[in-house]
Amino acid sequence: MCFDHDSRPPIQPIAGGALDSQEVTLTAADDNRFTAFEARAAKPSGAAIVVLPDVRGLHPYYVELAMRFAESGIDAVAIDWFGRSAGRGRREEGFDYMPHVSAATWAGMSADITAGAARARTFGPDGAKSLFTIGFCFGGRAAFLSATLGLGLAGAIGFYGSPVGPGRGGMPAPADVADVMEAAILGNFGGADTSIPPEAIAAFDVALERARVEHKLIPYPNAPHSFFDRKAAEYARESESAWAEVLGFIRAHT
């Protein structure tokens, strides 16, 4: 699990920044119906982003993150992973997520990401000009892989998504499919994250370089897995820098 139940994004709200928000039900190509949360910007920048959660699914952390994006002018939709096995709804404290993680497949996740992207494409007066994904841990790996789905993404952003080795539900290793990635990549990693050692990040960097994929991979020294958390006050500087990298990456590709 990436975060504790009471974890939240380490981003200060911007008063008056979000236009509106709502919970919606989306339908994937395989007829899976799942819950998503969308937040629309009061002053859209033309960018939209699909937020891909960790193993907990549509947790309050990701609902709040969607709001912070909207306040920054980026329309956002955060999706849930578990419509097929757990039904619709947000995932609150006490949700037994691991059986549903075990039941998830990359084919199903891909269909849900695609549905989220289609929804995000409708945002803004004339539709989103540039579309991005962002994910964390389980969703971070999925965010990197979303660049292989033919979604016309401008960029894919992963926080501590493992780029090498076997993945849950048949997810391939991002480093192994770099040659079919069609979007710029931004990776934020904890430099002290023992689950993603420096050599894993280096292998991803080499694969992206060989594939000529625009990318930036940033290991934050001494930061652990899941450092991007309001509760992790000792990593506030790293979190501030990572958020600035995310917003700068989106601006540069919009």
Side-chain angles (χ1 to χ4, degrees), residues 193-216:
D193 183 352
T194 57
S195 67
I196 307 176
E199 52 268 29
I201 302 170
F204 192 29
D205 182 61
V206 168
L208 291 168
E209 191 69 31
R210 286 176 177 168
R212 298 184 179 180
V213 175
E214 180 188 346
H215 66 284
K216 186 175 185 179

Side-chain angles (χ1 to χ4, degrees), residues 148 173-182 204 206-209 211-213:
T148 71
D176 290 346
V177 294
D179 59 332
V180 291
M181 289 184 175
E182 300 176 339
F204 192 29
V206 168
L208 291 168
E209 191 69 31
R212 298 184 179 180
V213 175

Side-chain angles (χ1 to χ4, degrees), residues 12 26 51 89 93 168 216-217:
Q12 290 299 317
L26 302 182
V51 179
E93 186 173 12
R168 296 183 183 274
K216 186 175 185 179
L217 307 181

Side-chain angles (χ1 to χ4, degrees), residues 19-31:
L19 175 62
D20 59 23
S21 62
Q22 64 177 340
E23 185 175 299
V24 297
T25 297
L26 302 182
T27 303
D30 62 355
D31 293 326

Side-chain angles (χ1 to χ4, degrees), residues 18 24 48 81 124 153 158 231:
V24 297
W81 294 125
L153 298 178
K231 295 197 315 176

Side-chain angles (χ1 to χ4, degrees), residues 118-194:
R119 180 72 176 187
R121 285 282 186 199
T122 69
F123 294 169
D126 302 309
K129 296 177 182 177
S130 299
L131 182 62
F132 301 83
T133 58
I134 186 170
F136 295 75
C137 192
F138 179 69
R141 185 176 179 124
F144 294 143
L145 293 173
S146 69
T148 71
L149 298 179
L151 301 176
L153 298 178
I157 304 163
F159 274 77
Y160 20 88
S162 179
V164 299
R168 296 183 183 274
M171 279 195 283
D176 290 346
V177 294
D179 59 332
V180 291
M181 289 184 175
E182 300 176 339
I185 299 292
L186 174 64
N188 290 307
F189 301 92
D193 183 352
T194 57

Side-chain angles (χ1 to χ4, degrees), residues 1-243:
M1 182 171 68
C2 266
F3 303 104
D4 295 329
H5 176 72
D6 58 350
S7 295
R8 296 295 184 271
I11 309 162
Q12 290 299 317
I14 300 173
L19 175 62
D20 59 23
S21 62
Q22 64 177 340
E23 185 175 299
V24 297
T25 297
L26 302 182
T27 303
D30 62 355
D31 293 326
N32 174 50
R33 290 168 61 80
F34 62 96
T35 300
F37 177 85
E38 61 184 35
R40 307 289 189 95
K43 296 180 180 180
S45 64
I49 195 162
V50 183
V51 179
L52 308 179
D54 69 353
V55 292
R56 294 168 309 170
L58 188 56
H59 177 275
Y61 182 103
Y62 300 104
V63 169
E64 184 167 333
L65 181 61
M67 293 293 292
R68 300 292 85 82
F69 273 117
E71 289 169 354
S72 295
I74 302 159
D75 294 315
V77 56
I79 69 171
D80 181 60
W81 294 125
F82 306 127
R84 291 172 184 79
S85 58
R88 296 193 295 277
R90 302 188 197 183
R91 310 305 172 189
E92 303 294 344
E93 186 173 12
F95 173 62
D96 187 11
Y97 55 86
M98 281 310 299
H100 305 287
V101 173
S102 297
T105 66
W106 176 234
M109 294 170 68
S110 298
D112 295 347
I113 294 169
T114 300
R119 180 72 176 187
R121 285 282 186 199
T122 69
F123 294 169
D126 302 309
K129 296 177 182 177
S130 299
L131 182 62
F132 301 83
T133 58
I134 186 170
F136 295 75
C137 192
F138 179 69
R141 185 176 179 124
F144 294 143
L145 293 173
S146 69
T148 71
L149 298 179
L151 301 176
L153 298 178
I157 304 163
F159 274 77
Y160 20 88
S162 179
V164 299
R168 296 183 183 274
M171 279 195 283
D176 290 346
V177 294
D179 59 332
V180 291
M181 289 184 175
E182 300 176 339
I185 299 292
L186 174 64
N188 290 307
F189 301 92
D193 183 352
T194 57
S195 67
I196 307 176
E199 52 268 29
I201 302 170
F204 192 29
D205 182 61
V206 168
L208 291 168
E209 191 69 31
R210 286 176 177 168
R212 298 184 179 180
V213 175
E214 180 188 346
H215 66 284
K216 186 175 185 179
L217 307 181
I218 309 170
Y220 290 88
N222 303 316
H225 194 79
S226 306
F227 69 88
F228 196 71
D229 183 349
R230 190 179 302 163
K231 295 197 315 176
E234 65 270 40
Y235 303 110
R237 183 175 298 176
E238 290 82 357
S239 291
E240 182 179 356
S241 177
W243 181 239

